[in-house]
Amino acid sequence: MLAKFFETLYHKAFVNIVVEGGQTSIYMELCSKTKVVESTQATFETDKVNSELIEFINSYIRETPYFYISVLDMAKDQGVIPTCEKNRLSYYYDLSSSEHKCSDKKWTYYTSKPEIYEIEKVYKEIGVDFIFSPFTLLSNFFKDKISSTLAMYIILQRGYISIAIFDSSELLYGDHLDMEHDASEDILISDDLDDDIELDLEDGIDLEDIDVDSDDMELIDDFGDIEDLDSIEEIDEFSEHKDVEEEFYETEEVIAESDEDSFNEDYQRFSLIQSSIGRYYKDIKYKSSFIENVYIGDGVGVSSDMKRYLEEEMFLNVYIRHLNLAEEVCELAKMEFN
Amino acid sequence: MLNSYIKPRKKSAITQEIQLMFTFFSITILMLFITFVFLAFKDYTFAADSRDIHNERVSIEKNLQVMKSDISYIEKQKQFSQTIYTKNSVLKDSISNLFDLVPQRITLSEAKLLENGLILYGITPNKDVYNFMLQAPLRSIFHRTYSSFYPAENGWYRFVSTNYTDKEEELDIEN
């Protein structure tokens, strides 16, 4: 009773922390009972909790004892399972060392317990009140689409990609991809390939034996025009989608043009998404349905290449929404009190 | 804990400093309250005692009045008794004097003491003895004296002497 009375006297402060790609984004919101009184966002070039970061957070939470610190879980070993039945969970994933929660009595999201302990240890100076899975963030961000359509939903973060396929609120498949981990795996694979080539070289390959026809060379030259063709197709497809999903497009932001760095990253993202979709179609554990639409929550500022790859290579209709991860984490934190 | 993996920490507006302050205030208020209750109790008991004492005083005053009236009654009684005693003494002396007055030759058979008079019945050998030896002193005492004689069988006389004292004359004498 007394606590409720005190709670009405103070504002609630939501501190939302997202650590991605060596950066820490902090979004703070000071809320009264009905409206947002103040909000601010800052990015620190560190993934550790240093004095500058603590000072920044303390400057806001000093005003009220009712502050809640939320962290977006960036654990590698996390994911989703398309059931809440306890006896079927182990069929999809061994949850013995994982913390898991059921969402809407339809699907389960999990993360590794050591990672949660690690987050609590890292933020012990300021404390942590909520740890959210990117999948709950995804389902909340696309809640208007998830309930009605069969589509793939993707949250793009710096270094991570969270993928979920929903058919009318029913989860079919989910995957959490670590770009750095997969990149290093790729390097290892490519090293192996180099070894193989060396072995082949030891066997002796004479380059002169390779016969290259002049027709083939012409074909290779024509590859340079593929990009132009792709761009023509993209324009056609884009116009078609606009007719169908015009309302959705109106909410989207203009996608940035690609530069060299983002091109590589986007291609890596595309590759990971492609391989994940491949796993979805192949793995008998999951109920396969043909995916036509992809909704992307863009938390990194993805280039147009990414969209183009998905549309051209996988024949998907791609819709991109801009996503501020820290703000969405704040929305989840607020939902905890509703 | 709707979506979060962990439960939020319990938040409270009451910090340790505020808790300490509340504790001090609570103790102070408690002490003040106890003092208030103590004083209120004392005030109540004092009022009750005062009321009792007042009632007692009223009752004692009543008793005092009764006792005063009793004392005045007793004093009156005492005065009355003294008066009676005095009167009795006077009467005794009067009777003693009366019997002293009666000479040896006259024999009294009955004496009636009235409020303002004396009636004597007796036998005298002759009228002269009576007149000289008894009537003379009686006349000096009483204002009015009446004597009646009846001859007895043995030649003596029975007499009845009625003597009265007038009040006014008595008062005049007192004045």
Side-chain angles (χ1 to χ4, degrees), chain A residues 37-103:
Chain A
V37 178
E38 191 186 342
S39 65
T40 184
Q41 187 155 15
T43 306
F44 296 86
E45 293 298 327
T46 176
D47 55 357
K48 302 278 184 299
V49 178
N50 57 24
S51 58
E52 189 191 3
L53 196 138
I54 291 168
E55 182 58 33
F56 178 73
I57 293 170
N58 281 341
S59 66
Y60 280 88
I61 63 175
R62 206 174 286 141
E63 293 175 17
T64 172
Y66 297 98
F67 63 87
Y68 298 92
I69 296 171
S70 312
V71 178
L72 185 64
D73 183 23
M74 288 294 177
K76 290 183 184 105
D77 300 326
Q78 63 173 315
V80 278
I81 294 168
T83 182
C84 275
E85 291 171 35
K86 283 185 180 173
N87 55 347
R88 292 197 63 215
L89 291 174
S90 57
Y91 174 67
Y92 292 97
Y93 190 78
D94 178 18
L95 296 170
S96 56
S97 63
S98 298
E99 187 72 45
H100 64 279
K101 276 180 77 72
C102 180
S103 178

Side-chain angles (χ1 to χ4, degrees), chain A residues 137-151:
Chain A
L137 190 146
L138 180 147
S139 70
N140 187 52
F141 187 66
F142 291 113
K143 62 187 168 198
D144 56 327
K145 294 288 166 192
I146 283 172
S147 57
S148 56
T149 54
L150 165 63

Side-chain angles (χ1 to χ4, degrees), chain B residues 118-136:
Chain B
L118 175 70
I119 301 167
L120 295 172
Y121 300 90
I123 299 168
T124 180
N126 52 51
K127 287 183 181 178
D128 294 330
V129 173
Y130 171 82
N131 288 330
F132 289 110
M133 293 185 76
L134 187 61
Q135 193 173 22

Side-chain angles (χ1 to χ4, degrees), chain A residues 10 65-68 101 109-111 120 126-127 129-131 133 336, chain B residues 1-15 18 22:
Chain A
Y10 290 97
Y66 297 98
F67 63 87
Y68 298 92
K101 276 180 77 72
Y109 52 95
Y110 63 86
T111 189
E120 286 177 327
I126 49 172
D129 293 293
F130 301 117
I131 298 173
S133 165
E336 295 287 317
Chain B
M1 219 173 88
L2 201 68
N3 293 315
S4 172
Y5 285 118
I6 58 168
K7 282 182 181 174
R9 292 165 295 168
K10 203 175 178 184
K11 308 289 175 184
S12 173
I14 301 164
T15 58
I18 293 171
F22 268 122

Side-chain angles (χ1 to χ4, degrees), chain B residues 31 47 58 64 102 126 132 149 158 172:
Chain B
M31 284 171 76
V58 169
L64 198 66
V102 178
N126 52 51
F132 289 110
F149 296 96
R158 293 183 183 273
D172 288 341

